[in-house]
Amino acid sequence: MMLTAHINKQNIPLVSVITIVYNAESTIEQTILSVLAQTYPNIEYIIIDGGSTDGSLKIIDKYKDKITKWISEPDNGISDAFNKGIKFSSGNLIALLNADDWYEKDAVKKVVENYTNKYTVLCGNVKLYNNLNNFKIKKSSIDSIESVMNVWHPGMFCPKEIYDEIGLYNIDIKILMDYDFVIRCYLAKINFKFIDENIVNMRYGGVSNQLITKSMKEALIIKENHFGKKFKHKLEYLFFNSYYHTIIYIKKIIYG
């Protein structure tokens, strides 16, 4: 099922916000409300549901008149859902907001104020919450892109032209498709602009955190694919060291 609502076009950039959902009834309403509460007036909101079986669809339906497009059908994972949303998008800038994350009220406005080049990826700060509801501010960077993913995709706004040039998310990558995409941008010498403003709130506990060992393996394979065999010994480290050390490594990445 798919619903479409009219958008009032204006002489300012259109921003497409995409939320992918699968059984997120406890958080999706906060996500939706954070988009609807934005102070920036020209947003299209697209929701891609993967066939939820909980109460997510009832919550989405509650706001259907304020959602530009939404679809509910099985997909082939996160990358596939992202790609569906991007293909539906008509915005100048495209943002990916997870179903358990939420924007600050001026998030889109602050990003658009920095939108001056259609070949620049814009990234704001992320407030990363742990299970105790404490948070740490994470600032995006590509300075150490060969070692660690420091671009937090819920705070990333990407011009449509860059997706046209670089391509969409790799559906063969099941967890760290955003890391792969950022590396592809980096290697293609796409510009990144980092905005020192808190843009989005992100809950610790997403797919990459729940599947720590698999995400570690995938990260190192991505690095080897893009940067060569120098990461081979790190792959061996992953398989032959304890699960404990893997967890410590991930926490270091997240909490610094």
Side-chain angles (χ1 to χ4, degrees):
M1 177 170 58
M2 180 175 173
L3 299 173
T4 303
H6 176 70
I7 282 197
N8 183 23
K9 301 292 184 181
Q10 304 179 36
N11 291 323
I12 56 175
L14 176 64
V15 178
S16 301
V17 177
I18 299 164
T19 294
I20 65 169
V21 186
Y22 183 71
N23 289 346
E25 64 179 342
S26 65
T27 58
I28 183 61
E29 188 163 30
Q30 183 180 27
T31 304
I32 292 172
L33 289 173
S34 80
V35 176
L36 299 183
Q38 288 301 298
T39 57
Y40 185 75
N42 199 20
I43 296 174
E44 67 171 5
Y45 191 26
I46 298 167
I47 297 181
I48 306 296
D49 180 82
S52 292
T53 56
D54 64 354
S56 296
L57 294 181
K58 289 183 180 179
I59 295 170
I60 295 169
D61 188 66
K62 180 179 173 181
Y63 298 99
K64 64 183 180 182
D65 293 338
K66 297 180 180 180
I67 297 168
T68 311
K69 300 183 180 76
W70 70 273
I71 187 171
S72 181
E73 63 183 22
D75 55 50
N76 191 30
I78 296 171
S79 294
D80 186 34
F82 280 165
N83 292 345
K84 286 182 184 181
I86 293 168
K87 289 173 183 176
F88 284 135
S89 299
S90 53
N92 304 98
L93 284 169
I94 299 173
L96 303 171
L97 182 69
N98 299 333
D100 54 356
D101 303 332
W102 68 101
Y103 281 140
E104 299 287 341
K105 68 176 182 178
D106 293 329
V108 178
K109 178 176 180 290
K110 289 176 179 177
V111 171
V112 172
E113 286 172 350
N114 287 272
Y115 175 55
T116 58
N117 186 328
K118 64 183 181 179
Y119 290 105
T120 297
V121 179
L122 302 168
C123 301
N125 297 344
V126 173
K127 292 167 71 175
L128 183 64
Y129 285 79
N130 64 22
N131 292 332
L132 298 176
N133 218 31
N134 298 315
F135 67 85
K136 183 168 184 174
I137 302 297
K138 306 299 292 186
K139 297 185 179 184
S140 291
S141 170
I142 57 169
D143 290 345
S144 56
I145 193 68
E146 290 192 27
S147 300
V148 66
M149 170 64 163
N150 275 330
V151 176
W152 303 81
H153 81 262
M156 183 177 81
F157 287 65
C158 184
K160 192 172 183 65
E161 289 84 358
I162 292 178
Y163 283 115
D164 291 339
E165 179 175 334
I166 300 298
L168 302 182
Y169 291 90
N170 186 340
I171 62 171
D172 293 326
I173 299 176
K174 301 302 182 183
I175 304 172
L176 298 182
M177 65 294 298
D178 51 348
Y179 187 32
D180 176 75
F181 177 78
V182 169
I183 290 176
R184 284 156 51 204
C185 289
Y186 170 78
L187 294 175
K189 302 189 183 306
I190 297 294
N191 293 323
F192 284 78
K193 183 173 183 178
F194 302 104
I195 305 164
D196 194 13
E197 299 274 3
N198 297 336
I199 297 299
V200 67
N201 304 278
M202 182 177 174
R203 287 181 176 88
Y204 175 70
V207 172
S208 61
N209 299 321
Q210 295 169 14
L211 302 173
I212 290 174
T213 301
K214 288 184 178 180
S215 63
M216 283 287 292
K217 175 183 176 182
E218 198 169 76
L220 294 171
I221 290 173
I222 289 168
K223 292 175 189 179
E224 185 173 349
N225 286 343
H226 289 296
F227 300 118
K229 295 295 183 180
K230 63 183 178 179
F231 288 99
K232 186 175 186 298
H233 68 284
K234 293 186 178 179
L235 282 167
E236 292 169 351
Y237 174 88
L238 172 69
F239 291 114
F240 293 106
N241 274 269
S242 69
Y243 184 73
Y244 169 79
H245 285 99
T246 303
I247 293 174
I248 294 299
Y249 181 79
I250 287 288
K251 285 186 175 179
K252 207 171 173 185
I253 292 173
I254 294 170
Y255 293 108

